Structures are given as C-alpha cells and as structure tokens.
Amino acid sequence: MRSSATTPVPVGSLRPNGRTGYGGRGERERSRRVAAAIAAGAASPRIAILGAGAAGLCMGIRLRDAGIDTFTIYEKSDGVGGTWRDNTYPDAACDVPSHLYSFSFASKRDWTRKFARQPEILEYFESLVDRFDLARHLRLGVEITEAHHDDADGTWTLRTAGPEGEPDATIVADVVVSGLGQLNRPYVPDIPGLEAFREAGGTVFHSARWDHDHDLSGERVGVVGIGASAIQFVPPVAERAAHTTLFQRSSNYVGPRKDREFTPRERWLFDHVPGLQRRYRESIYWRFEGRFSAMRRGSRLGAWMQGQFRKQLRPMVSERLSEAALLPDYPLGCKRILISDNWYPTLLRPDLDVVTDAIERIDDGAVVTVDGEHHQVDTLVFGTGFRSTEFLSPLKITGRGGRDLNEVWADGARAHLGLAVPGFPNLFMLYGPNTNLGHNSILFMIEQQVGYVLRLVEEKMLLGLRSVDVAPSAASRFDTMVQAAAERTVWAEGCHSWYKTADGRITNNWTAHTTLYRKLLSFPDPDDWILERATPR
Ligand code: NAP
C-alpha cells in the first residue's frame, strides 16, 4: 500500500497477515488486534452497508464477528433477502445446488431438495438475522438515493428516502459498502402500445414483481423474454393458462436439472455424519469450477456439449416448433446455460406457441409481430431480466473532487477486483463489475469480497486512516487483465446477453476460474492502495 506524500503511513505494518477467508489464524490475530484497539479507545468506523441481500448480510456478519459493531444495513424494502425476496414467481428456484448456495460459515444441513426453491432460500437468509444477531443493525424501508464524498474529512454523506411520510434524512459514514449487486432493477422494454394495453384493462407485470393477486387461470398469457427466470415460471403458468404465447428473441441451451427432494435418510446423514455436508458441498464446488473450461472460446468441451444439445433437440423441430424456436444460433455458454426438468415438455404443449418474430407493437389487446401477425393476450408477463450493466445507478454517487461515478463509468462499469474505483475512497462494492459467474456460486465470490473489504476496514481502523483509495495504476492493470481474458471467453461471441454493454464490453462477468479470484483477494496487495492518515503528523 502507498501512503499519500504528506501523510506517511508505515507500509510494513500493512503487510499480509493471513488469508482473508473465514476463520484461520490470520483472522483470529486481526480480531485480537481490533479488540485491543477498541479497548484502548480507538474509534470504530461508522459503516453504512447498502442492501440486506446476501452480500449485505454477509458483510454485517463478518464485521460483527470481527468485533466491529458500528455498522448499519440500510434496506429499501421491508425485509432481508434481496433477490430472493423480490423474485417470488411460480417455481422460482436456484440453479446452483442447495448445499453450495449458502455461506461457508453458516451451513444449512437440512436442505429439503437438491435445488432449493425460493421460499426455502429466503428462509435461510432470514434465519441469519437471528443466528448472527443482526436485527439491531438493520434499518428497513430506507432507500439510499445519494452518496457524496467529503474530501476534507474522508467521510461519506448519504441521503435517504425514508419510509413514506418521513422526511428525507442524511447519514454520515466513514465507510460505505454497497451490497446492491447486479440484478435488482427489472428491465421492461419500451414497446409501443404497452401503456395503452394496461389502461384498457390488460394485466402487465415483470417476473421480479409477480402479481400474486392476479389469477392467470383460463387466460391468454403472453410471455416476453425467455431466459433464466422464464424457463422456471413458464411451465406452471402454461398449466394454468388457457393459452400461452412465448415471445422469444433467442433460444437457450437448457440442460436437465435432475432436481428431487432429499430422502429422509439423506437428510439424516447430512445432519449426523461429521464432515459429510462439507465434503458434498466441496464436491459440487469443484464440479462446477470445472465447467469454466466450457466458457473458453474454442473449447473442445463446449463444442462437444453444443453438439450433444443439437443432436437431442433437432428431432423435436416440427411445423409447430421451428428450428429458430429450439436451436440456439450462438455458441454454448455465450448466455447463461439453463437447467430445467420440464422446459422441453412444456414447449411441446398443444396450447403453447413460440413466436420468434420480433414484437413491433401492442394494439387492441394483441401483440403484433413484424410479420404482421396479431397474438391476442389478456396478460403480458415480462421475463426480460434486469438493468444489469448500470450497476449503482440510479444512485447518485460523487467521489473526490465531485466526480460522478456514472460519468466515470460512461463507457462501461469497472472496478479494481470488482470492488473499488479510484477517486472513491472508503467506498466498496460487493458483487460489483466483473464478478458475476457463468459457472459457479456467486456466494463464493461475495465471501471473498467481504473478507477483503473487512481487511481494509480493519487496517483503516488500526492505523487511524482517513481514507483508503485504490491506486489508479492497480485498477487499470486489473481492468486490462480482465478485459483481455474476456476476449478469450465465449461471452465475447455474438449473442445478446446481460453480461455486456450495448458496445460489447463485458462488464458483469469474472473472466477466469474462481480459484484465481480467491487468490487475488487473499490479502490486499500493499502496492494497490493509497492510504491517508486522519490527521497529518
Ligand atoms: P435473462 O436471463 O437475461 O433473460 C431475459 C430475456 O429477455 C432473454 O430471453 C432476452 O432475450 C429477453 N429480452 C431482453 N430484452 C428484450 C427485448 N427488448 N425484447 C425482447 N426480448 C428481450 O433474465 P432473467 O431470466 O430475469 O435472468 C437474469 C439472471 O438472473 C440470470 O441469468 C441469473 O443469473 C439470474 N437468475 C438466476 C436464477 C437461479 O436459479 N440462480 C434464476 C433466475 C434468474 P435475449 O436472450 O435475446 O437477450
């Protein structure tokens, strides 16, 4: 780490002290130093965590365990769980197996099925509040709308839109950690006639804002956008609706999920055999990690898998189900590979049509496609994903010298290790740019980030630092590395995907194995950080 010229900090004291991972000698040693510093009267930093989803909760738990109690988690909704609170659509489930989709330090041995459904996952995240005594740190119903860096004292001033009826307030924090992630703002395309359709009594909603009061029984339902969410909710919707029309821009590679309930005996074994749950979890992690090979351009594994898909799908092509509806026209992995046990049987239903012509407008209760066909619908469900490349917008964040983060990111978001931007000191992001995965569990990435941020917060406190800022050279080196690696992945091939901007810059995905990410985040590289003392000597 480098210190600012006027306010030197002894670099030697910042040398790595054990890994950032949970537990272990290094962490215990740091916790002891933090406890001793607090006992000696050191001020614990005021930390504002934005969002009570998986990332925000994980940050809170690790801070609390490190003895740092001065944090508040601000959450705009009225509960914790983030994406698993928002996405309540029928049959919402995780496509990462249950035992890997939990924190390494907070295992759950009694998962009921191989791929947990949304209610069970939400229950897991909600249970962490009591398990780790987080309730007193939570402020629900508070949305942070602005964050402004004060260059004079290194603090951040946050503006909130409080619960309805309460005046907006400001909060001052020494450190801000965003746990807002990449998939929190639903995207609905601007289709001419959509508003008029709604005004005329048609029902419209997005998959992440499911209207549970609206009964789809016997209706003509149109689904726009067929991605990870739609392949889960379309089968139960088609069961209920009189007719379902899928408006599909691109088809997907959908493999078998092989989901099932765990038997009582399996659950007993997970609960009683020491180490079994951990070994099972690790076996899933390594199996998934191996899948990254298929994400490389020109991969033989990818080509083989693609061939298998085509061989199995081609016989299903018929007059009703065209080649365009079934066979993806892009290399496997360019978009997320999906898994389902009932997708293709659903496509074969006689009361379901797949329309691959683009939507032109909505007119008089019908979706009109460019070929002039009118498809009558009562309800339109949008499974069109999220504003994924906009990251922290619409939050207005101004850093050092009044720089606006959205302007800094005008040609695509980027951040050192996915978590820090030069000129925005003491601000860290979890599940930020280039940290999404196409092949493994995002909770693994979040744990690495939280461990790393915790290290920086501890150093800030122990050394009495005013600010911790990433060096521009480090950020630029990291970005060059990530983008060079991105070029070698299938994501750079020609397909629409939420992993990249309209210009084709891959802003969302981590572009290597997660083991490399863990290594890079195992401790803060002293040369990557610029430190400033609270009071110049
Ligand atoms: P998605 O996978 O990005 O799918 C969006 C769909 O909408 C795609 O079919 C896309 O077509 C289509 N679309 C977008 N804009 C359109 C437009 N203007 N006109 C017509 N079609 C349009 O979104 P999602 O299904 O909400 O899933 C997003 C992500 O959430 C997933 O990739 C995954 O990471 C996460 N998720 C995870 C799980 C899980 O099990 N862990 C479950 C659900 C979601 P194109 O393909 O042509 O762009």
Side-chain angles (χ1 to χ4, degrees):
M1 299 193 194
R2 283 185 278 137
S3 54
S4 75
T6 52
T7 56
V9 165
V11 168
S13 61
L14 294 169
R15 281 286 157 191
N17 179 18
R19 292 186 163 268
T20 50
Y22 200 78
R25 202 158 49 85
E27 185 182 320
R28 284 196 297 276
E29 167 57 23
R30 281 195 312 282
S31 294
R32 265 198 295 277
R33 284 168 59 206
V34 167
I38 291 173
S44 185
R46 296 160 294 180
I47 301 163
I49 300 172
L50 315 190
L57 293 176
C58 184
M59 189 75 239
I61 293 168
R62 296 282 320 264
L63 281 166
R64 203 202 60 111
D65 282 0
I68 300 173
D69 222 17
T70 44
F71 66 91
T72 305
I73 305 176
Y74 297 95
E75 165 59 48
K76 79 172 174 191
S77 77
D78 58 359
V80 307
T83 199
W84 295 105
R85 188 176 183 79
D86 287 349
N87 287 274
T88 59
Y89 58 76
D91 283 5
C94 189
D95 56 12
V96 172
S98 313
H99 284 265
L100 186 59
Y101 204 79
S102 53
F103 292 123
S104 63
F105 53 83
S107 66
K108 171 173 156 66
R109 287 201 285 266
D110 59 351
W111 289 107
T112 58
R113 52 192 316 127
K114 282 181 86 175
F115 292 90
R117 304 250 164 100
Q118 175 265 341
E120 193 173 10
I121 301 171
L122 179 60
E123 203 179 289
Y124 168 74
F125 286 117
E126 286 175 340
S127 76
L128 300 179
V129 174
D130 282 345
R131 192 164 161 186
F132 293 95
D133 188 23
L134 291 179
R136 63 205 164 91
H137 295 280
L138 281 171
R139 282 220 42 212
L140 302 176
V142 180
E143 182 179 3
I144 306 291
T145 53
E146 280 179 43
H148 173 77
H149 183 256
D150 185 333
D151 297 353
D153 64 3
T155 59
W156 283 91
T157 301
L158 310 179
R159 182 170 288 282
T160 72
E164 218 166 305
E166 277 186 28
D168 291 355
T170 54
I171 296 156
V172 177
D174 300 303
V175 173
V176 176
V177 183
S178 161
L180 301 181
Q182 304 189 357
L183 301 170
N184 55 34
R185 295 177 56 220
Y187 165 70
V188 174
D190 190 11
I191 302 174
L194 182 59
E195 221 25 68
F197 173 76
R198 203 196 303 257
E199 280 163 15
T203 306
V204 178
F205 54 87
H206 186 276
S207 58
R209 301 286 182 270
W210 199 268
D211 183 351
H212 290 280
D213 293 334
H214 183 77
D215 187 2
L216 296 171
S217 305
E219 283 204 335
R220 294 163 301 180
V221 179
V223 179
V224 183
I226 308 300
S229 303
I231 69 142
Q232 295 183 340
F233 70 71
V234 165
V237 164
E239 287 280 324
R240 186 160 282 213
H243 189 89
T244 309
T245 309
L246 307 185
F247 298 95
Q248 178 181 275
R249 192 165 67 177
S250 325
S251 55
N252 297 287
Y253 290 95
V254 186
R257 182 157 64 159
K258 297 187 183 155
D259 184 29
R260 65 170 175 81
E261 284 184 4
F262 286 117
T263 63
R265 184 178 151 72
E266 285 167 330
R267 290 174 65 178
W268 187 91
L269 289 171
F270 281 129
D271 204 20
H272 290 83
V273 177
L276 178 64
Q277 121 96 20
R278 185 175 47 77
R279 283 200 298 278
Y280 181 59
R281 175 188 165 93
E282 280 172 9
S283 73
I284 302 167
Y285 169 80
W286 287 111
R287 185 158 50 84
F288 273 46
E289 193 62 355
R291 302 193 318 185
F292 183 72
S293 310
M295 303 294 132
R296 291 218 166 94
R297 253 183 176 172
S299 141
R300 280 161 66 176
L301 174 63
W304 177 80
M305 285 167 67
Q306 189 170 317
Q308 292 299 309
F309 268 105
R310 291 190 160 267
K311 210 157 83 185
Q312 288 178 26
L313 291 179
R314 193 166 288 284
M316 283 169 61
V317 174
S318 65
E319 210 171 302
R320 284 201 61 240
L321 211 47
S322 68
E323 192 164 316
L326 268 174
L327 299 177
D329 59 358
Y330 55 87
L332 175 127
C334 188
K335 284 184 216 290
R336 194 177 174 91
I337 301 170
L338 307 180
I339 51 173
S340 165
D341 294 328
N342 53 2
W343 179 245
Y344 293 115
T346 299
L347 288 188
L348 293 172
R349 290 178 69 105
D351 55 359
L352 181 145
D353 292 319
V354 184
V355 174
T356 55
D357 292 296
I359 296 174
E360 191 182 80
R361 64 183 197 282
I362 299 170
D363 193 6
D364 201 16
V367 176
V368 185
T369 41
V370 287
D371 57 349
E373 282 290 320
H374 283 55
H375 308 271
Q376 293 294 332
V377 291
D378 303 305
T379 290
L380 269 177
V381 183
F382 284 87
T384 34
F386 300 85
R387 296 185 176 277
S388 57
T389 55
E390 295 174 11
F391 291 89
L392 293 180
S393 88
L395 211 72
K396 184 166 174 54
I397 299 185
T398 39
R400 239 189 247 276
R403 287 172 80 210
D404 186 318
L405 185 60
N406 285 325
E407 281 170 24
V408 173
W409 280 353
D411 60 347
R414 65 200 73 197
H416 183 57
L417 303 172
L419 52 76
V421 179
F424 294 80
N426 307 334
L427 169 70
F428 306 105
M429 280 160 256
L430 307 173
Y431 192 17
N434 292 111
T435 62
N436 179 61
L437 298 177
H439 72 288
N440 214 329
S441 170
I442 194 61
L443 297 189
F444 175 89
M445 301 295 273
I446 288 172
E447 279 196 41
Q448 313 313 310
Q449 292 151 14
V450 166
Y452 191 94
V453 171
L454 176 63
R455 283 293 306 274
L456 294 175
V457 169
E458 286 171 336
E459 300 292 7
K460 183 178 186 314
M461 182 182 162
L462 292 169
L463 294 166
L465 301 173
R466 179 178 65 174
S467 83
V468 178
D469 198 358
V470 64
S473 55
S476 146
R477 216 172 36 243
F478 177 77
D479 187 50
T480 305
M481 179 193 88
V482 167
Q483 291 304 321
E487 277 305 307
R488 299 191 292 271
T489 66
V490 275
W491 308 316
E493 303 262 12
C495 72
H496 289 281
S497 97
W498 64 267
Y499 301 158
K500 51 195 177 189
T501 62
D503 298 338
R505 181 184 159 87
I506 295 172
T507 50
N508 291 64
N509 280 13
W510 172 240
T511 54
H513 284 100
T514 65
T515 46
L516 175 62
Y517 192 71
R518 177 171 58 187
K519 189 170 161 210
L520 290 173
L521 272 73
S522 59
F523 54 82
D525 184 330
D527 291 330
D528 288 356
W529 296 91
I530 302 170
L531 311 173
E532 286 178 7
R533 272 205 185 280
T535 38
R537 290 175 177 177

Short mmCIF file of all heavy atoms in Angstrom, two decimals, residues 84 89 93-96 183 187 189 206-207 224-230 232 247 249-250 252 335-336 383-386 436 496-499, ligand 1:
data_model
loop_
_atom_site.label_atom_id
_atom_site.label_comp_id
_atom_site.label_asym_id
_atom_site.label_seq_id
_atom_site.Cartn_x
_atom_site.Cartn_y
_atom_site.Cartn_z
N TRP A 84 -33.91 -12.85 -3.48
CA TRP A 84 -34.79 -13.96 -3.10
C TRP A 84 -36.06 -13.46 -2.41
O TRP A 84 -36.97 -14.23 -2.14
CB TRP A 84 -34.04 -14.98 -2.25
CG TRP A 84 -32.96 -15.60 -3.07
CD1 TRP A 84 -31.62 -15.34 -3.00
CD2 TRP A 84 -33.14 -16.51 -4.17
NE1 TRP A 84 -30.96 -16.05 -3.99
CE2 TRP A 84 -31.86 -16.78 -4.71
CE3 TRP A 84 -34.25 -17.14 -4.75
CZ2 TRP A 84 -31.66 -17.63 -5.80
CZ3 TRP A 84 -34.04 -17.99 -5.83
CH2 TRP A 84 -32.77 -18.22 -6.34
N TYR A 89 -41.80 -15.44 -8.26
CA TYR A 89 -42.59 -16.01 -9.35
C TYR A 89 -42.76 -17.52 -9.16
O TYR A 89 -41.98 -18.16 -8.43
CB TYR A 89 -41.96 -15.68 -10.71
CG TYR A 89 -40.54 -16.15 -10.90
CD1 TYR A 89 -40.24 -17.49 -11.16
CD2 TYR A 89 -39.47 -15.26 -10.85
CE1 TYR A 89 -38.94 -17.93 -11.35
CE2 TYR A 89 -38.16 -15.68 -11.04
CZ TYR A 89 -37.91 -17.01 -11.28
OH TYR A 89 -36.62 -17.44 -11.45
N ALA A 93 -36.50 -20.88 -8.27
CA ALA A 93 -35.56 -21.78 -7.59
C ALA A 93 -34.15 -21.39 -7.99
O ALA A 93 -33.96 -20.61 -8.92
CB ALA A 93 -35.83 -23.23 -7.98
N CYS A 94 -33.20 -21.96 -7.29
CA CYS A 94 -31.81 -21.64 -7.60
C CYS A 94 -31.25 -22.71 -8.53
O CYS A 94 -31.55 -23.90 -8.36
CB CYS A 94 -31.00 -21.60 -6.32
SG CYS A 94 -29.36 -20.98 -6.59
N ASP A 95 -30.43 -22.31 -9.49
CA ASP A 95 -29.83 -23.32 -10.35
C ASP A 95 -28.41 -23.69 -9.89
O ASP A 95 -27.66 -24.33 -10.62
CB ASP A 95 -29.90 -22.93 -11.84
CG ASP A 95 -29.26 -21.59 -12.12
OD1 ASP A 95 -28.57 -21.07 -11.22
OD2 ASP A 95 -29.44 -21.08 -13.23
N VAL A 96 -28.08 -23.27 -8.68
CA VAL A 96 -26.87 -23.77 -8.01
C VAL A 96 -27.39 -24.71 -6.90
O VAL A 96 -28.30 -24.34 -6.16
CB VAL A 96 -26.06 -22.60 -7.40
CG1 VAL A 96 -24.91 -23.12 -6.54
CG2 VAL A 96 -25.56 -21.67 -8.49
N LEU A 183 -28.47 -7.40 -10.14
CA LEU A 183 -29.77 -7.78 -10.71
C LEU A 183 -30.92 -7.30 -9.83
O LEU A 183 -31.73 -8.09 -9.36
CB LEU A 183 -29.83 -9.32 -10.87
CG LEU A 183 -28.76 -9.94 -11.76
CD1 LEU A 183 -28.76 -11.44 -11.64
CD2 LEU A 183 -28.95 -9.53 -13.20
N TYR A 187 -35.97 -4.82 -15.91
CA TYR A 187 -35.98 -4.13 -17.20
C TYR A 187 -37.23 -4.54 -17.98
O TYR A 187 -37.51 -5.74 -18.13
CB TYR A 187 -34.72 -4.51 -18.00
CG TYR A 187 -34.81 -4.14 -19.46
CD1 TYR A 187 -34.78 -2.80 -19.86
CD2 TYR A 187 -34.95 -5.12 -20.44
CE1 TYR A 187 -34.90 -2.46 -21.19
CE2 TYR A 187 -35.05 -4.78 -21.78
CZ TYR A 187 -35.03 -3.45 -22.15
OH TYR A 187 -35.14 -3.11 -23.46
N PRO A 189 -38.87 -3.64 -21.72
CA PRO A 189 -38.62 -2.87 -22.95
C PRO A 189 -39.77 -1.91 -23.25
O PRO A 189 -40.91 -2.16 -22.85
CB PRO A 189 -38.49 -3.94 -24.04
CG PRO A 189 -39.01 -5.19 -23.45
CD PRO A 189 -39.01 -5.06 -21.96
N HIS A 206 -43.71 -7.71 -14.34
CA HIS A 206 -42.37 -8.28 -14.56
C HIS A 206 -42.19 -9.48 -13.63
O HIS A 206 -42.74 -9.51 -12.53
CB HIS A 206 -41.32 -7.20 -14.27
CG HIS A 206 -39.92 -7.61 -14.60
ND1 HIS A 206 -39.14 -8.35 -13.72
CD2 HIS A 206 -39.15 -7.41 -15.70
CE1 HIS A 206 -37.94 -8.57 -14.28
NE2 HIS A 206 -37.93 -8.00 -15.48
N SER A 207 -41.35 -10.42 -14.06
CA SER A 207 -41.18 -11.64 -13.25
C SER A 207 -40.68 -11.35 -11.83
O SER A 207 -41.01 -12.09 -10.90
CB SER A 207 -40.22 -12.61 -13.95
OG SER A 207 -38.97 -11.99 -14.16
N VAL A 224 -42.95 -12.28 -22.55
CA VAL A 224 -41.91 -11.63 -23.36
C VAL A 224 -40.58 -11.86 -22.68
O VAL A 224 -40.41 -11.50 -21.51
CB VAL A 224 -42.18 -10.10 -23.48
CG1 VAL A 224 -41.12 -9.46 -24.39
CG2 VAL A 224 -43.58 -9.84 -23.97
N GLY A 225 -39.62 -12.45 -23.42
CA GLY A 225 -38.32 -12.71 -22.84
C GLY A 225 -38.28 -14.11 -22.25
O GLY A 225 -39.05 -14.42 -21.34
N ILE A 226 -37.39 -14.93 -22.79
CA ILE A 226 -37.31 -16.32 -22.31
C ILE A 226 -35.88 -16.58 -21.86
O ILE A 226 -35.01 -16.97 -22.64
CB ILE A 226 -37.71 -17.31 -23.44
CG1 ILE A 226 -39.06 -16.93 -24.05
CG2 ILE A 226 -37.72 -18.75 -22.91
CD1 ILE A 226 -40.23 -16.91 -23.06
N GLY A 227 -35.63 -16.30 -20.57
CA GLY A 227 -34.29 -16.52 -20.01
C GLY A 227 -34.39 -17.37 -18.77
O GLY A 227 -35.31 -18.19 -18.60
N ALA A 228 -33.43 -17.13 -17.84
CA ALA A 228 -33.31 -17.98 -16.64
C ALA A 228 -34.59 -17.99 -15.81
O ALA A 228 -34.98 -19.03 -15.27
CB ALA A 228 -32.14 -17.48 -15.78
N SER A 229 -35.26 -16.83 -15.69
CA SER A 229 -36.48 -16.78 -14.88
C SER A 229 -37.64 -17.43 -15.62
O SER A 229 -38.39 -18.23 -15.06
CB SER A 229 -36.84 -15.33 -14.54
OG SER A 229 -35.77 -14.70 -13.88
N ALA A 230 -37.79 -17.07 -16.92
CA ALA A 230 -38.95 -17.57 -17.68
C ALA A 230 -38.96 -19.09 -17.77
O ALA A 230 -40.04 -19.71 -17.67
CB ALA A 230 -38.97 -16.96 -19.07
N GLN A 232 -38.29 -21.06 -15.66
CA GLN A 232 -38.84 -21.60 -14.41
C GLN A 232 -40.33 -21.32 -14.27
O GLN A 232 -41.09 -22.18 -13.85
CB GLN A 232 -38.08 -21.02 -13.21
CG GLN A 232 -36.60 -21.46 -13.19
CD GLN A 232 -35.84 -20.97 -11.97
OE1 GLN A 232 -36.23 -20.02 -11.31
NE2 GLN A 232 -34.72 -21.60 -11.70
N PHE A 247 -42.89 -15.03 -26.52
CA PHE A 247 -42.22 -14.15 -27.48
C PHE A 247 -40.72 -14.24 -27.18
O PHE A 247 -40.23 -13.67 -26.22
CB PHE A 247 -42.75 -12.72 -27.35
CG PHE A 247 -44.22 -12.64 -27.67
CD1 PHE A 247 -45.17 -12.70 -26.66
CD2 PHE A 247 -44.64 -12.55 -28.99
CE1 PHE A 247 -46.52 -12.66 -26.96
CE2 PHE A 247 -46.00 -12.52 -29.30
CZ PHE A 247 -46.95 -12.58 -28.28
N ARG A 249 -36.77 -13.95 -28.24
CA ARG A 249 -35.81 -13.34 -29.16
C ARG A 249 -34.68 -14.31 -29.46
O ARG A 249 -34.22 -14.42 -30.60
CB ARG A 249 -35.27 -12.05 -28.54
CG ARG A 249 -34.50 -11.20 -29.48
CD ARG A 249 -34.30 -9.80 -28.95
NE ARG A 249 -33.44 -9.78 -27.76
CZ ARG A 249 -33.07 -8.65 -27.15
NH1 ARG A 249 -33.50 -7.48 -27.61
NH2 ARG A 249 -32.29 -8.68 -26.09
N SER A 250 -34.19 -15.01 -28.44
CA SER A 250 -33.15 -16.02 -28.66
C SER A 250 -33.55 -17.27 -27.90
O SER A 250 -34.14 -17.19 -26.83
CB SER A 250 -31.80 -15.59 -28.10
OG SER A 250 -31.59 -14.22 -28.22
N ASN A 252 -32.47 -20.89 -25.89
CA ASN A 252 -31.46 -21.18 -24.85
C ASN A 252 -30.97 -22.62 -24.94
O ASN A 252 -31.65 -23.48 -25.48
CB ASN A 252 -32.09 -20.99 -23.46
CG ASN A 252 -32.52 -19.56 -23.23
OD1 ASN A 252 -31.70 -18.69 -23.04
ND2 ASN A 252 -33.82 -19.32 -23.26
N LYS A 335 -24.55 -17.12 -23.47
CA LYS A 335 -25.51 -16.70 -22.44
C LYS A 335 -25.48 -17.79 -21.37
O LYS A 335 -25.01 -18.89 -21.63
CB LYS A 335 -26.93 -16.75 -23.01
CG LYS A 335 -27.31 -15.66 -23.91
CD LYS A 335 -28.79 -15.93 -24.23
CE LYS A 335 -29.12 -15.57 -25.64
NZ LYS A 335 -29.10 -14.17 -25.89
N ARG A 336 -26.10 -17.51 -20.25
CA ARG A 336 -26.13 -18.50 -19.16
C ARG A 336 -26.74 -19.81 -19.66
O ARG A 336 -27.80 -19.80 -20.32
CB ARG A 336 -26.97 -17.93 -18.02
CG ARG A 336 -26.84 -18.67 -16.72
CD ARG A 336 -27.66 -17.97 -15.65
NE ARG A 336 -27.67 -18.71 -14.42
CZ ARG A 336 -26.80 -18.55 -13.43
NH1 ARG A 336 -25.83 -17.66 -13.55
NH2 ARG A 336 -26.88 -19.27 -12.33
N GLY A 383 -40.33 -11.41 -18.76
CA GLY A 383 -39.19 -12.13 -18.17
C GLY A 383 -37.93 -11.58 -18.82
O GLY A 383 -37.05 -12.33 -19.23
N THR A 384 -37.89 -10.25 -18.92
CA THR A 384 -36.86 -9.60 -19.73
C THR A 384 -35.63 -9.18 -18.93
O THR A 384 -34.83 -8.36 -19.40
CB THR A 384 -37.47 -8.36 -20.43
OG1 THR A 384 -38.45 -7.77 -19.56
CG2 THR A 384 -38.14 -8.75 -21.72
N GLY A 385 -35.49 -9.71 -17.73
CA GLY A 385 -34.24 -9.50 -17.00
C GLY A 385 -34.13 -8.14 -16.35
O GLY A 385 -35.13 -7.48 -16.05
N PHE A 386 -32.88 -7.71 -16.17
CA PHE A 386 -32.60 -6.56 -15.30
C PHE A 386 -31.67 -5.56 -15.99
O PHE A 386 -31.00 -5.90 -16.97
CB PHE A 386 -31.96 -7.06 -14.00
CG PHE A 386 -32.87 -8.01 -13.26
CD1 PHE A 386 -32.90 -9.37 -13.59
CD2 PHE A 386 -33.74 -7.55 -12.30
CE1 PHE A 386 -33.77 -10.25 -12.95
CE2 PHE A 386 -34.61 -8.41 -11.65
CZ PHE A 386 -34.62 -9.76 -11.97
N ASN A 436 -19.66 -11.39 -11.63
CA ASN A 436 -20.71 -12.40 -11.81
C ASN A 436 -20.09 -13.67 -12.39
O ASN A 436 -19.03 -13.63 -13.01
CB ASN A 436 -21.78 -11.86 -12.76
CG ASN A 436 -22.87 -12.88 -12.98
OD1 ASN A 436 -23.55 -13.29 -12.06
ND2 ASN A 436 -23.02 -13.33 -14.23
N HIS A 496 -26.85 -11.70 -27.66
CA HIS A 496 -27.32 -10.71 -26.68
C HIS A 496 -27.09 -11.33 -25.32
O HIS A 496 -27.42 -12.49 -25.13
CB HIS A 496 -28.84 -10.56 -26.76
CG HIS A 496 -29.35 -9.88 -27.97
ND1 HIS A 496 -29.33 -8.53 -28.12
CD2 HIS A 496 -29.94 -10.37 -29.07
CE1 HIS A 496 -29.88 -8.22 -29.27
NE2 HIS A 496 -30.25 -9.31 -29.88
N SER A 497 -26.58 -10.57 -24.37
CA SER A 497 -26.61 -11.10 -23.00
C SER A 497 -26.45 -9.97 -22.01
O SER A 497 -25.92 -8.90 -22.35
CB SER A 497 -25.52 -12.16 -22.79
OG SER A 497 -24.38 -11.60 -22.19
N TRP A 498 -26.92 -10.23 -20.80
CA TRP A 498 -26.85 -9.18 -19.77
C TRP A 498 -25.46 -9.06 -19.19
O TRP A 498 -25.21 -8.23 -18.33
CB TRP A 498 -27.90 -9.41 -18.68
CG TRP A 498 -27.75 -10.67 -17.86
CD1 TRP A 498 -28.33 -11.88 -18.10
CD2 TRP A 498 -27.02 -10.83 -16.64
NE1 TRP A 498 -28.00 -12.78 -17.12
CE2 TRP A 498 -27.20 -12.15 -16.21
CE3 TRP A 498 -26.22 -9.97 -15.88
CZ2 TRP A 498 -26.61 -12.66 -15.05
CZ3 TRP A 498 -25.64 -10.48 -14.72
CH2 TRP A 498 -25.83 -11.80 -14.33
N TYR A 499 -24.52 -9.87 -19.72
CA TYR A 499 -23.14 -9.80 -19.24
C TYR A 499 -22.39 -8.62 -19.85
O TYR A 499 -21.28 -8.33 -19.46
CB TYR A 499 -22.36 -11.05 -19.64
CG TYR A 499 -22.91 -12.36 -19.13
CD1 TYR A 499 -22.59 -13.56 -19.79
CD2 TYR A 499 -23.70 -12.44 -18.00
CE1 TYR A 499 -23.05 -14.78 -19.34
CE2 TYR A 499 -24.17 -13.67 -17.54
CZ TYR A 499 -23.85 -14.84 -18.22
OH TYR A 499 -24.30 -16.05 -17.76
P1 NAP B 1 -32.33 -13.10 -18.70
O1 NAP B 1 -31.83 -14.45 -18.46
O2 NAP B 1 -31.38 -12.02 -19.04
O3 NAP B 1 -33.43 -13.20 -19.82
C1 NAP B 1 -34.01 -12.07 -20.37
C2 NAP B 1 -34.81 -12.49 -21.56
O4 NAP B 1 -35.47 -11.35 -22.06
C3 NAP B 1 -33.96 -13.03 -22.71
O5 NAP B 1 -34.67 -14.03 -23.35
C4 NAP B 1 -33.80 -11.81 -23.60
O6 NAP B 1 -33.57 -12.12 -24.94
C5 NAP B 1 -35.16 -11.19 -23.44
N1 NAP B 1 -35.15 -9.78 -23.76
C6 NAP B 1 -34.44 -8.80 -23.18
N2 NAP B 1 -34.71 -7.63 -23.74
C7 NAP B 1 -35.62 -7.86 -24.70
C8 NAP B 1 -36.28 -7.05 -25.63
N3 NAP B 1 -36.07 -5.73 -25.68
N4 NAP B 1 -37.15 -7.64 -26.49
C9 NAP B 1 -37.38 -8.95 -26.43
N5 NAP B 1 -36.77 -9.80 -25.58
C10 NAP B 1 -35.91 -9.25 -24.72
O7 NAP B 1 -33.18 -12.54 -17.44
P2 NAP B 1 -33.78 -13.37 -16.25
O8 NAP B 1 -34.48 -14.55 -16.78
O9 NAP B 1 -34.53 -12.46 -15.37
O10 NAP B 1 -32.48 -13.85 -15.50
C11 NAP B 1 -31.44 -12.92 -15.22
C12 NAP B 1 -30.42 -13.57 -14.37
O11 NAP B 1 -30.97 -13.77 -13.08
C13 NAP B 1 -29.95 -14.95 -14.77
O12 NAP B 1 -29.04 -15.01 -15.80
C14 NAP B 1 -29.40 -15.46 -13.48
O13 NAP B 1 -28.11 -15.03 -13.24
C15 NAP B 1 -30.36 -14.85 -12.50
N6 NAP B 1 -31.34 -15.88 -12.20
C16 NAP B 1 -30.84 -16.91 -11.50
C17 NAP B 1 -31.65 -17.93 -11.21
C18 NAP B 1 -31.04 -19.02 -10.43
O14 NAP B 1 -31.57 -20.08 -10.45
N7 NAP B 1 -29.91 -18.83 -9.75
C19 NAP B 1 -32.97 -17.95 -11.63
C20 NAP B 1 -33.46 -16.89 -12.33
C21 NAP B 1 -32.62 -15.83 -12.62
P3 NAP B 1 -32.07 -12.30 -25.49
O15 NAP B 1 -31.63 -13.59 -24.90
O16 NAP B 1 -32.20 -12.29 -26.94
O17 NAP B 1 -31.31 -11.13 -24.95
#
